[in-house]
Amino acid sequence: MMSDYFSILQCESEDSLSGIIRIQLNPDCRVYQGHFPKEPVSPGVCNIEMIRCCAEYIHHHPIRIQKIKQCKLTALMTPQITPQANVTISLQENEQGVYRLTASICEGETTYMTLKADVADE
Amino acid sequence: MEKNELIAKVNSVLAEEFEVEESIITPDANIKQTLQLDSLSLVDMVALIESEFGVKIQPADLAKIQTFQALYDYLAERA
Amino acid sequence: MMYRAEQLYQLIPQRPPIVMVDVVWSATETEAETGLTVTADNIFVRNGHFREPGLIEHIAQSAAAFAGCGTFLRGEEPKLGFIGEIKDCVLNMLPEVGTQLRTHIQLVTEVNGIRLISAETRIEGEMVASCIMKIFLKDDE
């Protein structure tokens, strides 16, 4: 699933709860054939999935999103204009195996997405 | 609803929703600046006013409602 | 009016492999009923389950199809729509391949081209997902 949507270039993380991951979007991912045929735009939900994958990468354990308290998509992202970006991840344990995930996707001065969600170990 | 009562209710629901101190809401203050509304949260304000006061702010009117006083007057005529 | 399969291409701008709605059961000015049968080749299926981005995209495209019913009846092309915000989204379960999702979309309000909708997705009456979403509709230049 979406395995070729992005790749991880670099990861700075000191524990299994937080870190910053440098990602690269793949303009050849076939999702752009349909989103949209004449205008490739990174789908918001794929960016949510990218954040989830980055959180898993830092957490070293599969996680599932239970709730999204708020997710703001503040700028459109495209692989042409934004080939790379930083994904910032912070997990805070609320109870055994359940975490509040706070994350963002940024590049330079631009914030593309902010996410507050409850996630759980899968 | 009495106008004073309406003003108090507008102030309290907006302060709670947009997490600001109620004291910074004054009649002449600009709504968007005071509540730090962007185009997305402006939609929340319209939906909140509609559910709390049963008044649907028409798109053409929204542009004219810049201050809290203008909002109170608009609602007072319709609520 | 009911729309199925490729008739939906008149309502939404998305195309394969990211088409996440396959039926519009009904639509009025303020609400719509849509559906999707989860197939094994869906790009958001992993280990036999329809994952989080798929559920959210299904809701977003249900809202797009709902908006598209209006533009279609006026003889216009579907507008590109983008998710602006997702709030209070609860994902109760990850549906299995073969199940049919049924989604109820309600238009809460519309301000300056941003539509605020609430959505509930069920499988045979059981709640799968619910959320509030804001969608930007892009006007053609």
Side-chain angles (χ1 to χ4, degrees):
Chain A
M1 177 188 77
M2 293 183 43
S3 50
D4 62 346
Y5 181 68
F6 74 103
S7 45
I8 290 176
L9 300 176
Q10 198 187 335
C11 174
E12 284 175 35
S13 173
E14 291 183 357
D15 53 30
S16 65
L17 294 173
S18 65
I20 299 175
I21 289 185
R22 184 87 184 144
I23 61 92
Q24 174 153 353
L25 291 173
N26 174 16
D28 299 322
C29 178
R30 68 193 181 105
V31 79
Y32 296 108
Q33 293 167 14
H35 199 280
F36 298 95
K38 288 176 202 154
E39 200 172 329
V41 177
S42 305
V45 299
C46 293
N47 289 340
I48 294 175
E49 175 67 6
M50 181 164 76
I51 287 176
R52 195 195 62 80
C53 292
C54 288
E56 266 184 5
Y57 188 87
I58 281 174
H59 193 48
H60 306 297
H61 194 284
I63 54 173
R64 156 170 132 67
I65 299 174
Q66 294 182 317
K67 282 183 193 162
I68 295 176
K69 193 168 186 298
Q70 188 180 48
C71 176
K72 280 199 168 202
L73 296 93
T74 38
L76 286 182
M77 233 173 136
T78 78
Q80 278 75 20
I81 298 169
T82 321
Q84 297 185 2
N86 289 326
V87 179
T88 304
I89 299 287
S90 160
L91 289 160
Q92 204 169 19
E93 190 157 16
N94 284 340
E95 49 184 286
Q96 184 73 37
V98 180
Y99 309 82
R100 166 56 57 88
L101 166 64
T102 307
S104 64
I105 303 174
C106 302
E107 178 64 0
E109 300 281 289
T110 308
T111 299
Y112 291 92
M113 176 184 278
T114 57
L115 176 73
K116 277 195 202 106
D118 290 336
V119 301
D121 286 331
E122 200 165 42
Chain B
M1 202 185 294
E2 290 287 323
K3 193 153 183 187
N4 283 343
E5 205 184 317
L6 180 125
I7 291 171
K9 190 176 170 189
V10 170
N11 292 357
S12 79
V13 298
L14 292 181
E16 191 189 338
E17 171 77 13
F18 299 104
E19 296 173 352
V20 298
E21 288 293 327
E22 215 174 305
S23 58
I24 66 166
I25 300 180
T26 57
D28 295 330
N30 180 285
I31 297 173
K32 282 192 201 172
Q33 287 170 8
T34 307
L35 304 178
Q36 299 185 332
L37 302 182
D38 56 18
S39 58
L40 286 169
S41 44
L42 185 65
V43 182
D44 289 323
M45 189 191 82
V46 172
L48 184 69
I49 295 288
E50 198 172 329
S51 70
E52 291 285 335
F53 300 94
V55 176
K56 187 167 175 57
I57 302 176
Q58 297 304 315
D61 298 332
L62 187 62
K64 292 182 216 150
I65 303 172
Q66 296 288 329
T67 64
F68 290 97
Q69 187 64 53
L71 179 62
Y72 305 146
D73 294 344
Y74 188 84
L75 294 177
E77 282 170 26
R78 292 165 179 82
Chain C
M1 194 157 177
M2 197 169 111
Y3 304 86
R4 274 186 183 280
E6 293 186 2
Q7 289 174 321
L8 280 162
Y9 293 178
Q10 298 167 312
L11 308 182
I12 59 170
Q14 291 84 4
R15 291 294 178 267
I18 189 167
V19 173
M20 294 294 143
V21 54
D22 61 12
V23 56
V24 175
W25 301 103
S26 64
T28 67
E29 287 283 304
T30 55
E31 54 194 335
E33 288 279 324
T34 66
L36 174 71
T37 299
V38 179
T39 53
D41 62 352
N42 188 303
I43 57 166
F44 294 119
V45 165
R46 181 154 49 93
N47 298 333
H49 288 270
F50 193 45
R51 301 294 307 200
E52 303 90 328
L55 280 171
I56 300 168
E57 186 64 15
H58 165 65
I59 289 174
Q61 290 191 20
S62 295
F66 170 37
C69 290
T71 48
F72 176 65
L73 292 175
R74 289 195 294 275
E76 299 164 9
E77 291 283 306
K79 292 178 181 175
L80 296 194
F82 304 99
I83 301 172
E85 186 179 1
I86 300 164
K87 258 168 99 167
D88 302 331
C89 173
V90 180
L91 304 174
N92 290 327
M93 58 162 140
L94 302 173
E96 286 176 25
V97 165
T99 50
Q100 187 182 41
L101 312 179
R102 195 173 175 116
T103 295
H104 181 83
I105 298 279
Q106 177 97 39
L107 178 65
V108 179
T109 196
E110 181 166 6
V111 178
N112 299 339
I114 303 174
R115 287 163 74 96
L116 177 66
I117 60 115
S118 70
E120 290 181 348
T121 298
R122 291 183 167 79
I123 295 175
E124 292 172 2
E126 193 179 349
M127 188 74 82
V128 173
S130 58
C131 79
I132 293 170
M133 201 178 269
K134 288 178 194 146
I135 295 183
F136 284 103
L137 289 179
K138 190 180 167 200
D139 272 311
D140 297 324
E141 292 86 37

